[in-house]
Amino acid sequence: MKKVQDNFSKQSGIYKKYRPTYPKELYDDLFKLTQARNECWDCGTGNGQVATELSKHFNNVYATDISEPQISNADQRNNIVYKVERVENTSFKDNQFDLVTVAQAIHWFDIPEFNKEIKRVTKNGGLVCIWGYGLLKIEKTLDDIIDQFYNEIVGPYWNLERKYIDDAYASINLDFKEITLIKEYSINVKWSLEELEGFFNSWSSVQNYINANGENPVQWIMSRVNKYWENGTTKEIRFPIFTRIGKVEK
């Protein structure tokens, strides 16, 4: 089985504070596809933002992550059970879940083993919803700076799994009957310079860069962004969302 990679425990507090949240319309459209709303599983739950939303609609939510610090920062709800477990080998029962979600996390998994576990723990006809988001977009001048930072400055420090994000999960082999959503989704936020800087500091590549070089590369990008962003103001930021959705057939 693929070796575990924990890239977010160190900055779990930053991750919770500065990572963007997913739009309500995405959840609404996914819930329309579910056959029942008894039990669901959020894989790679991180700070628990998806599990928290699921808890409003399902009787019981189970949320797993390999990072105990991430889970310790997650929002607590009476109907959410958090577990520190690998997604490829869980303690769940066979045919337990009506819905399984994976948000911005599947690229870290052992995909063949995860496919087996999904088929085991999901009910026949159960829904699997996998999604992620691409590189943020603001305006051309800033986008060019961000692209240089992403590709050239911290580019060599991304884990190999980042390639799956860059191709919008299209190259991941998933074992379910796929459903294509016609609608396009995006995360749209208004951020300050502080929030933008916090988001960059949550990147695994930034932490890898710091570990290798002893300095924070975010200083490089913020010194350039500051020239085009008046302090104390906010800007519209867009993250394109991509999805892989399907139903388990047994």
Side-chain angles (χ1 to χ4, degrees), residues 13-203:
I14 295 174
Y15 194 99
K16 178 178 176 60
K17 185 176 181 180
Y18 293 110
R19 283 285 168 139
T21 58
Y22 305 109
K24 181 179 181 297
E25 62 176 343
L26 173 63
Y27 290 111
D28 288 345
D29 288 346
L30 297 181
F31 294 151
K32 291 174 185 175
L33 298 172
T34 57
Q35 294 180 339
R37 298 191 185 180
N38 185 27
E39 294 195 337
C40 62
W41 172 28
D42 184 41
C43 312
T45 195
N47 59 30
Q49 66 156 286
V50 174
T52 300
E53 186 63 32
L54 294 175
S55 71
K56 303 172 187 176
H57 302 272
F58 281 78
N59 294 334
N60 298 297
V61 178
Y62 294 84
T64 62
D65 202 283
I66 60 167
S67 171
E68 189 170 354
Q70 282 273 59
I71 284 181
S72 68
N73 276 298
D75 292 331
Q76 303 297 313
R77 296 289 188 277
N78 290 335
N79 62 336
I80 302 178
V81 176
Y82 291 103
K83 294 187 175 187
V84 179
E85 289 187 339
R86 289 198 65 160
V87 297
E88 303 91 346
N89 184 21
T90 69
S91 57
F92 299 128
K93 297 179 293 185
D94 293 354
N95 306 307
Q96 182 171 347
F97 297 113
D98 304 299
L99 170 69
V100 176
T101 58
V102 191
Q104 197 76 355
I106 194 172
H107 49 288
W108 300 115
F109 301 169
D110 184 316
I111 303 300
E113 294 301 315
F114 179 61
N115 276 324
K116 293 177 186 176
E117 190 69 352
I118 284 292
K119 183 156 283 192
R120 183 183 73 81
V121 303
T122 308
K123 295 176 182 177
N124 187 38
L127 192 69
V128 181
C129 302
I130 297 163
W131 69 88
Y133 57 88
L135 192 61
L136 69 162
K137 299 295 181 184
I138 309 174
E139 56 195 45
K140 188 176 187 315
T141 302
L142 293 173
D143 292 349
D144 289 344
I145 296 170
I146 293 169
D147 287 345
Q148 185 180 2
F149 180 67
Y150 180 85
N151 291 301
E152 297 178 18
I153 305 302
V154 299
Y157 298 90
W158 285 110
N159 296 81
L160 292 176
E161 288 82 359
R162 185 69 191 186
K163 65 184 180 181
Y164 294 121
I165 294 286
D166 292 335
D167 72 8
Y169 288 167
S171 61
I172 294 179
N173 182 30
L174 296 169
D175 187 14
F176 53 54
K177 184 179 180 181
E178 195 133 6
I179 300 170
T180 301
L181 295 182
I182 304 301
K183 189 184 299 184
E184 292 185 355
Y185 304 90
S186 63
I187 300 168
N188 300 290
V189 294
K190 279 189 175 181
W191 272 0
S192 65
L193 278 168
E194 178 191 0
E195 289 168 309
L196 182 69
E197 183 174 1
F199 173 69
F200 288 139
N201 276 309
S202 75
W203 285 10

